[in-house]
Amino acid sequence: MTARSVLPHAVVESLAAGAPSSHMDAAVVAVVLGAALLHATWNAIAHGSPDRLTGFALIGIPFTAIGAIGVAVNGLPPADAWPFIVISSILTVTYQLLLLASYQLGQFSQTYPLARGTSPWVVAVVSVTLLGQELSWTEAAGVAVVSIGLMGLVFIGGLPDRASMPALAAAFATGVMIAAYTTVDGVGVRHAPVLTYASWLFLFQGPALPLIAVVRRGRALPGLMRPSLAAGLGGGAASVLAYGLVLWAQTRGALAPIAALRETSIIFGAIIGAVFLGERFGSKRALASVVVVAGIVLINLS
């Protein structure tokens, strides 16, 4: 099944027509790296929540609130932006559910790198084959090297056993969803002002996990939320900001290099784990991080 058979024809044509330039300036690089740091922060918060569904629900509250305020201020988007907003919202909620499942089934240090490492090369393939973008050889090599470095983090502890396969499958599916909504957003945001587009995305995405938590946890939900209320809401605010920064960056550069740079959140996650969570950084993880940095250098040589 091809992407053209999954997406509406009009959306595919708009994706191909709206492909941005492959050039990335220093400001875009800095913004995407800042978003990666924020992304690693909120994922660490979500993973560390005593009840992970509750943690994800708390993160959804700032999305809903900020989205509602943004919609009230910015109004409706142009008509041709609606397909992208709706499709991206569905993909993002699916991504959130898969990410939650991967965290419930497996270890953060293995599932998170797999999810984030899958996305860059999927975006690269889609952006070249479906959108008609051209990557320089250094950008293409950089995307490949970043992905290799991130995927290498998955296998630091050796080959996964049969018991870990459900978690890894969920993480891989999460990465595919990341690639899918990244591709849709990368062109959709060019059909509407960034703040308007983001506001409607946040309003559509935000309520999903809180509503699921209400159904699943019932009257116990307030008590479950209380211990991690501040951290969860703070993580949600960081996630909103990270998402918004990436949307802005996608109006300024090609999808594949931006997707690869964003996935350097793995490096920040490793540092957060070592400094704040007491996890061992280790020489192998350090080597994998060096590989990722080498990929970033390649991406920015052109």
Side-chain angles (χ1 to χ4, degrees):
M1 180 177 293
T2 66
R4 289 183 179 273
S5 66
V6 175
L7 294 175
H9 178 73
V11 173
V12 174
E13 295 302 320
S14 295
L15 285 169
S21 166
S22 63
H23 175 71
M24 288 176 58
D25 59 29
V28 172
V29 173
V31 164
V32 176
L33 290 176
L37 174 58
L38 290 169
H39 192 279
T41 300
W42 83 255
N43 269 268
I45 291 171
H47 176 74
S49 176
D51 182 272
R52 294 195 179 101
L53 175 57
T54 301
F56 273 76
L58 285 169
I59 288 170
I61 292 173
F63 270 88
T64 306
I66 293 172
I69 294 170
V71 164
V73 171
N74 296 300
L76 294 170
D80 58 355
W82 279 115
F84 298 96
I85 292 172
V86 172
I87 292 172
S88 177
S89 297
I90 293 170
L91 292 171
T92 304
V93 171
T94 304
Y95 144 75
Q96 292 170 346
L97 293 172
L98 287 168
L99 182 63
L100 173 62
S102 68
Y103 284 174
Q104 291 174 329
L105 291 169
Q107 296 181 349
F108 177 76
S109 61
Q110 192 171 48
T111 56
Y112 184 59
L114 178 57
R116 306 314 305 186
T118 299
S119 176
W121 59 263
V122 173
V123 171
V125 170
V126 171
S127 64
V128 172
T129 60
L130 178 61
L131 307 186
Q133 293 186 3
E134 294 183 1
L135 301 180
S136 69
W137 76 267
T138 53
E139 287 176 327
V143 169
V145 171
V146 169
S147 296
I148 289 170
L150 295 179
M151 296 290 286
L153 289 169
V154 175
F155 301 103
I156 284 175
L159 293 176
D161 56 22
R162 185 180 297 272
S164 65
M165 292 307 295
L168 296 180
F172 178 80
T174 301
V176 173
M177 286 299 104
I178 294 168
Y181 77 69
T182 296
T183 302
V184 173
D185 283 344
V187 181
V189 74
R190 303 174 74 83
H191 289 260
V194 173
L195 291 178
T196 303
Y197 186 89
S199 297
W200 283 97
L201 280 182
F202 297 161
L203 184 61
F204 284 175
Q205 299 168 14
L209 271 297
L211 288 175
I212 292 172
V214 168
V215 173
R216 294 288 300 274
R217 298 296 185 259
R219 294 182 179 180
L221 184 60
L224 292 171
M225 282 185 167
R226 196 171 297 115
S228 53
L229 183 63
L233 294 178
S239 181
V240 168
L241 181 56
Y243 202 144
L245 289 173
V246 170
L247 287 176
W248 175 85
Q250 287 174 329
T251 68
R252 300 295 193 273
L255 300 182
I258 289 174
L261 281 175
R262 184 178 61 181
E263 307 319 336
T264 58
S265 60
I266 289 295
I267 297 177
F268 297 119
I271 294 172
I272 290 171
V275 175
F276 298 102
L277 303 180
E279 296 180 356
R280 184 179 178 183
F281 195 77
S283 59
K284 293 181 180 179
R285 182 167 294 181
L287 177 60
S289 298
V290 169
V291 172
V292 173
V293 172
I296 296 172
V297 172
L298 284 172
I299 288 170
N300 291 284
L301 284 179
S302 60

